[in-house]
Amino acid sequence: MYMIGCDFHSRYQQISMVDTETGEYTGRRLEHENGEARKFYAELPASALVGIESTGYATWFVEMLEEQGHQVVVGDAAQIRAREVRKQKYDQRDADLLLELLSRGEFPRVWIPRRRERSLRTLLAHRHFLVAMRTRAKNGLQALALGQGLCRGRKLWSRAGQAALKELKLGEGLGRRRQDLGQLIQQLNGWIGELDQRLGQEAEASAPARRLMTHPGVGPLTALATVVVLGPVERFASGKKVASYLGLIPSEYSSGGRQHFGHLTKQGNRLLRFLLIEAAQSACRYEAELKQDYGRLAFKHGWAKARVAVARKLAVRLYTMLRDQIDYAEFVRRGSLAGMPGLRLV
C-alpha cells in the first residue's frame, strides 16, 4: 500500500509518497492539464491512501481517485497548517507534512459528501446563483423606472406595472436595457422554475427531507439543503455543534476573566445559512414559540440579530428532528412533556 501526501493546486500537485512495505520514499510534481497526474495514479501497482487539504477545484481529482480504487481523505486546512510551527512554507514541505500526519494517524479528516449529494449541492447552489442574477436584473429595471418617474415598488412586477414600464418613451440606450433585462428575467424565471420542480421532486423522494418539511416555514429547498449539507447527523454531538458548523454562533475573544463576543463566525456553508435565515422569517409567522422569541429579541437587540438567533434555533430543531427521526408533531409533543416528573420520553 502507498501513502501519499498531496499538496493540491489548480494546475499541478506536489506529492510525497511512501511505500508502506518497503519504506521507499518518492517526491515529485505532477501536472494536471497534460494528464500526467491521472496517468500516475492509474499506473500505481497497488491501492493508495491519498491525503489532501480541503480546497476548491478538487472535485475531479477526488472522483478520479475513487474511480481508480484509491482511498482519498480530505483534511481541515487550518488544523493541518497549525501542526507546522516553523515559518517555512513551500510545496514539498506541505506535502511532507500531509504524509507525516497520515503515517502517524493524526490526519484531521473532514466529511466528504457522496457524489449524489455533491450533485444536489451543485443544483442548489446553481439555483441560488440564478436567483441572485434575477434580483440584479430586477433592480436594474427598478432603477430605470425610477429614473423615468415611475415609482411602483413591488407593483412594478404586476401586469399593470409591466404595461406602464413598456409604455415609457425611452431613448435607444435605455430602450435596449429595458428590452434585454425583461427578456433575461423571463429566461431566468423559466430556469428557476425548472430547478424548483427538480429539487422539489428530490425533497419529496427523501424521507429525512419530508420529515423536516413538516416544520412550519421549512420548504423543500431548506429541507433538502439541510439533509445534503449536514450529511450523517451522527457526526454532531449536539445542536450547539451544528450551529457552530453552520457559522451561526458569534466569534469570541475572551481572556483574563474578560469576555467579548464579536460578529458571526460565518465558518460554514453560506447557502444553508442563508436558507435558514429566510426560513426563520417564515417560521416566525406560523410558529408561536419562534414568533415570541423573535419579538423579544428584536425589541432588545434589533431585528437583524433576532432573525439570526431564530435561524440558529431553527437549525437546532431540524438537527434534532433528523437525529431522532421524528416529525414536527412529535417534536412538539416531546417539548410539551419535557420537565414533567415521572414521564420518560421515548
Side-chain angles (χ1 to χ4, degrees):
M1 180 179 177
Y2 292 94
M3 281 190 178
I4 302 176
C6 175
D7 184 37
F8 187 89
H9 299 269
S10 58
R11 294 181 176 87
Y12 70 93
Q13 58 183 266
Q14 184 73 35
I15 67 168
S16 293
M17 180 178 70
V18 65
D19 188 336
T20 57
E21 296 181 0
T22 65
E24 181 183 359
Y25 170 85
T26 304
R28 61 179 294 185
R29 169 173 166 149
L30 301 173
E31 300 293 335
H32 292 163
E33 190 171 354
N34 61 7
E36 182 183 9
R38 186 181 298 272
K39 182 180 179 181
F40 171 80
Y41 288 101
E43 293 178 350
L44 285 177
S47 62
L49 174 62
V50 183
I52 64 173
E53 292 181 343
S54 56
T55 181
Y57 313 111
T59 302
W60 70 270
F61 181 61
V62 173
E63 292 181 351
M64 180 200 73
L65 293 177
E66 292 174 346
E67 291 172 357
Q68 294 181 356
H70 302 301
Q71 181 183 359
V72 57
V73 292
V74 180
D76 188 306
Q79 293 188 41
I80 291 174
R81 187 56 193 166
R83 303 294 179 91
E84 180 56 79
V85 296
R86 296 185 63 179
K87 294 183 178 180
Q88 292 179 322
K89 185 182 187 305
Y90 50 91
D91 292 346
Q92 188 61 60
R93 189 174 184 84
D94 291 342
D96 289 342
L97 175 61
L98 294 172
L99 178 59
E100 180 183 354
L101 294 176
L102 275 177
S103 60
R104 295 201 312 233
E106 298 176 1
F107 197 80
R109 303 188 182 191
V110 297
W111 172 68
I112 305 177
R114 294 171 297 181
R115 181 171 297 190
R116 176 175 175 78
E117 292 167 334
R118 292 197 295 263
S119 177
L120 292 177
R121 283 185 173 197
T122 302
L123 288 177
L124 288 164
H126 182 55
R127 180 196 177 276
H128 184 67
F129 175 76
L130 295 181
V131 170
M133 289 182 60
R134 183 177 64 181
T135 300
R136 292 189 63 182
K138 286 186 173 183
N139 289 341
L141 283 182
Q142 283 282 8
L144 186 151
L146 290 172
Q148 301 300 314
L150 182 62
C151 306
R152 296 292 181 89
R154 293 183 179 179
K155 293 184 179 179
L156 182 66
W157 312 117
S158 64
R159 291 184 179 180
Q162 289 294 292
L165 182 62
K166 291 181 180 179
E167 292 173 0
L168 291 176
K169 297 185 180 298
L170 304 175
E172 180 182 0
L174 291 177
R176 178 60 184 269
R177 182 174 177 81
R178 175 181 59 185
Q179 176 184 344
D180 291 350
L181 289 180
Q183 293 177 358
L184 178 60
I185 290 173
Q186 290 181 1
Q187 180 67 70
L188 290 172
N189 284 335
W191 288 340
I192 293 171
E194 292 175 0
L195 286 172
D196 285 341
Q197 183 178 5
R198 176 73 178 89
L199 293 171
Q201 293 173 352
E202 289 291 340
E204 288 295 335
S206 170
R210 290 199 308 271
R211 197 175 296 120
L212 296 185
M213 284 190 290
T214 61
H215 192 291
V218 177
L221 295 179
T222 304
L224 186 62
T226 302
V227 172
V228 299
V229 170
L230 293 186
V233 292
E234 298 80 13
R235 301 190 299 130
F236 304 98
S238 64
K240 291 183 179 180
K241 298 293 184 180
V242 173
S244 176
Y245 180 77
L246 298 177
L248 288 171
I249 62 172
S251 56
E252 183 176 359
Y253 306 92
S254 302
S255 180
R258 295 186 178 182
Q259 193 173 43
H260 174 73
F261 294 101
H263 297 290
L264 291 181
T265 62
K266 296 185 179 179
Q267 292 178 308
N269 188 278
R270 181 183 302 178
L271 175 58
L272 181 54
R273 188 166 56 248
F274 171 83
L275 291 174
L276 285 171
I277 292 176
E278 292 291 310
Q281 297 180 83
S282 299
C284 288
R285 302 191 187 103
Y286 307 108
E287 223 271 352
E289 182 180 348
L290 293 181
K291 183 177 182 180
Q292 183 180 8
D293 290 343
Y294 177 82
R296 173 176 52 82
L297 293 171
F299 178 78
K300 188 175 182 180
H301 300 289
W303 64 268
K305 292 183 178 180
R307 187 169 60 177
V308 173
V310 173
R312 180 166 57 247
K313 190 169 186 177
L314 179 61
V316 174
R317 286 185 172 197
L318 298 183
Y319 158 75
T320 303
M321 293 167 63
L322 287 175
R323 181 196 62 191
D324 298 343
Q325 299 183 9
I326 59 176
D327 58 10
Y328 175 70
E330 176 63 17
F331 177 83
V332 173
R333 186 188 74 86
R334 294 188 180 186
S336 64
L337 296 178
M340 296 180 64
L343 288 179
R344 184 177 181 182
L345 301 181
V346 294

